[in-house]
Structure formats: C-alpha cells, structure tokens
Amino acid sequence: MWHGVLCGLLAGAMWGMVFITPVFLSAFTPLEMACGRYIAYGLIAAALMGSRLPPLLRRLDRNDIIAMVKHALAGNIIYYMLLALGVKLAGVAATSLIIGVLPISVTLMGHKDHGSVPLKQLMLPLLLVAAGIACINVDVFTHDVGNGMPFNAKLLGVLCATGALVCWTWYSVDNARYLKRNPHFSSGEWSSLYGISSGLIALVISLAAFAIFHSDVTGAAAVASGRDWGVFWIVNALLALGASVIGNHLWNVASRKVPLTLSGQLILFETLFALLYGFIYKQQLPRSLEIAAVVLLIAGVMWSVRVHALEDPTEAHAD
C-alpha cells in the first residue's frame, strides 16, 4: 500500500506543476500555453504508441472521434486555458484550492452511476468546503494576490478557476461513462488517443490563431516583451512529459496499489504541491486565510470521499 501512496504523492507533485507554469510563462497568453502544452503532449503520445498507432486509428468510428474532440476540449485545452487565466488574475493559491474541490464535484455529478449517496450525508463536508471557498474569496479580494489586478479582474480569475473545475468535472464523469460503454478500448489506448487528439486540436487552433494574430506574435511589441519561445517549448515539453505522461502513469499505479477508499483522497497531493510551488516561487509564507482554506478543503474533501466510499468507492481524476 505504501508504494501506492508514494506513487500518488509523486503524481500530485507532477500535476502541481500545472499551476505554477502560467506564472513562469507569464509573458505568454493562456491560449498559447494551452496550445503549446498539448501539441507537445500529442507528439509524445504518438511517439510512445509508435507502430501500434495505425491499427488503433483504424478502429475508431464516428462516435469515438466526437467523444475524443469533446473530451480533448473540455478536459485539456479549455480547462487549461481557464486554469492559466485563473492563475494570472486570481493567483496560484486561489486557483489551486478551487480546483482542489474536484473529488467532491466529480462525486456529486457522477454519484448515480455508482451508488447514490443521500446529499444529507454530505451536508457537513460540503459546508466545510463552502467555508474553505469563502476563505479563498475573502483572501483574493482583500490582498494583492492578483499581481496588482483590479477587483473585476480578480473576480474574473475566480470565475475562470470555477469554470476549469466545471470543465474537468464534466470530462471526468463523461469519459468514465464512455469507457464503460466502449470496452473495446483499453485505458492506455484511450489515454493515448486522448493525448493525440488534444495535440491535433491544439495544432489547428494555434495555426488559426497565428494566421489571425500574426503581428501580435512576431511583431516588435512581442519581441520587446521578452517572450522566449525556446524556453516556452522546453517548459511545455517538460510539463507534457511530467504532468500528462508520467503523472498519469503514476496515478494509474497508485489506483491499483491502494484501497479505493484511499485513492480519492490522494488527489489532495496535487493541490498541496501546487500551493507549495506557488509559495516557493513567490518566496512567501501562506496567509492565515490561505491556511484556513487549505485545512477546511482538505477536511471537507476527505470527509466527503470517505462518506461516499462507504457506499461505493469512486475513482479519482487524472490531469
């Protein structure tokens, strides 16, 4: 079991990088960061499949392609754009803590698929989560966590983080349902197809955006802003390899090694590492409201997952 816990911790350490990358690449737009990351992910996924890819592609039908497009947009590209914008406007702490509600949101949306838990049994843990989110919002709007952003920009950042949470919640539940309806794809095959489809969609979006906003990318203003494209591609390749490929693999190992009642709680490592990276990058300690939000969210999520697991354990997400 401890081997599984270690793998879950390492997966969280990889996923936590997702929240600090928008700060590190602050000269680039969320659209550029999302396209860069998933183009790199698609190339790596295709390379890892190698000769197994052509026969796998021949097995796809129209419904598979539609599902892959929807999942790639909601679970990867749009999700990461909203997350990156949330980080830019509201800060790493607020965004990571809002995304940290995923175990509860996935459970609430998909609970009918695997054994209903009466909402009254989740009332107390949900109240803890609500209190944690309240602490996040109070901290966001009373401190300069948005890098000098005005109130409206900070509010938009919180809404973007919430939108990212909604996107990934929908993707997680819909993807699980689709795999159950289509057992002819293994988890590994579908994961590779998911990465490749994300890369192709990101490539199309980036080419269209480049054609429309060519001067904004290559003009004098863009050059003067210090946008280092070499660093951009190195960071995104490392993020694709670390968070998308290695992180997901570690999570699959953890899911097999630990009891299902524990696997849902291991996702909290992602939030904790995201906060840790953010505080290290800013070279500051968490404020009292941030500490309170961390404690309340961890308590609420762990309590909710445990209550639900007593009825029917759930699978946690892969980023």
Side-chain angles (χ1 to χ4, degrees):
M1 186 183 77
W2 288 109
H3 179 242
V5 171
L6 177 61
C7 287
L9 185 148
L10 293 175
M14 293 293 179
W15 289 339
M17 296 188 300
V18 170
F19 295 85
I20 196 63
T21 302
V23 179
F24 190 72
L25 296 177
S26 58
F28 296 90
T29 66
L31 176 61
E32 290 168 335
M33 285 185 277
C35 288
R37 174 187 175 184
Y38 292 113
I39 288 174
Y41 182 23
L43 289 172
I44 294 172
L48 291 174
M49 286 297 294
S51 60
R52 294 172 294 167
L53 182 58
L56 180 59
L57 292 176
R58 287 194 290 269
R59 289 162 51 192
L60 294 174
D61 60 23
R62 181 174 176 272
N63 290 332
D64 296 329
I65 294 172
I66 292 173
M68 283 194 303
V69 170
K70 292 192 299 182
H71 293 167
L73 287 171
N76 273 346
I77 298 171
I78 295 175
Y79 162 77
Y80 189 58
M81 286 175 58
L82 290 172
L83 184 150
L85 192 56
V87 168
K88 279 180 174 287
L89 299 178
V92 174
T95 304
S96 59
L97 287 168
I98 290 172
I99 300 298
V101 182
L102 267 170
I104 286 181
S105 63
V106 170
T107 296
L108 289 176
M109 184 174 178
H111 73 282
K112 290 184 179 180
D113 289 36
H114 43 67
S116 177
V117 175
L119 288 181
K120 64 181 180 180
Q121 295 185 24
L122 296 173
M123 190 61 64
L124 291 178
L126 287 175
L127 286 175
L128 290 181
V129 171
I133 294 175
C135 288
I136 296 169
N137 283 277
V138 171
D139 185 77
V140 166
F141 297 118
T142 55
H143 293 87
D144 187 22
V145 298
N147 298 322
M149 296 291 178
F151 177 89
N152 289 341
K154 294 180 181 180
L155 178 59
L156 178 60
V158 170
L159 292 176
C160 286
T162 305
L165 172 67
V166 172
C167 281
W168 220 97
T169 300
W170 176 86
Y171 154 72
S172 179
V173 174
D174 194 73
N175 182 63
R177 289 171 177 169
Y178 194 83
L179 284 175
K180 288 178 181 178
R181 294 195 304 267
N182 297 272
H184 54 283
F185 290 111
S186 69
S187 296
E189 289 173 338
W190 190 249
S191 177
S192 296
L193 290 170
Y194 172 57
I196 293 169
S197 62
S198 297
L200 289 174
I201 293 172
L203 180 60
V204 172
I205 293 174
S206 63
L207 290 175
F210 183 76
I212 298 171
F213 304 106
H214 178 77
S215 59
D216 294 331
V217 177
T218 61
V223 175
S225 66
R227 290 152 60 93
D228 189 328
W229 286 97
V231 172
F232 173 85
W233 284 111
I234 290 172
V235 170
N236 276 298
L238 291 174
L239 184 64
L241 178 63
S244 297
V245 178
I246 298 176
N248 289 356
H249 175 69
L250 287 168
W251 184 253
N252 288 336
V253 173
S255 298
R256 293 187 180 99
K257 295 286 185 179
V258 302
L260 289 174
T261 52
L262 178 60
S263 64
Q265 300 170 29
L266 295 181
I267 193 176
L268 293 173
F269 286 129
E270 176 189 22
T271 299
L272 296 178
F273 273 103
L275 291 170
L276 176 63
Y277 297 154
F279 293 135
I280 291 175
Y281 185 85
K282 290 184 176 182
Q283 297 184 356
Q284 69 180 36
L285 295 173
R287 292 182 290 270
S288 57
L289 281 174
E290 290 174 330
I291 295 174
V294 170
V295 173
L296 288 168
L297 281 177
I298 289 176
V301 169
M302 291 183 68
W303 192 349
S304 177
V305 172
R306 185 172 295 277
V307 168
H308 186 79
L310 292 175
E311 294 288 332
D312 195 328
T314 65
E315 294 289 341
H317 89 298
D319 210 334

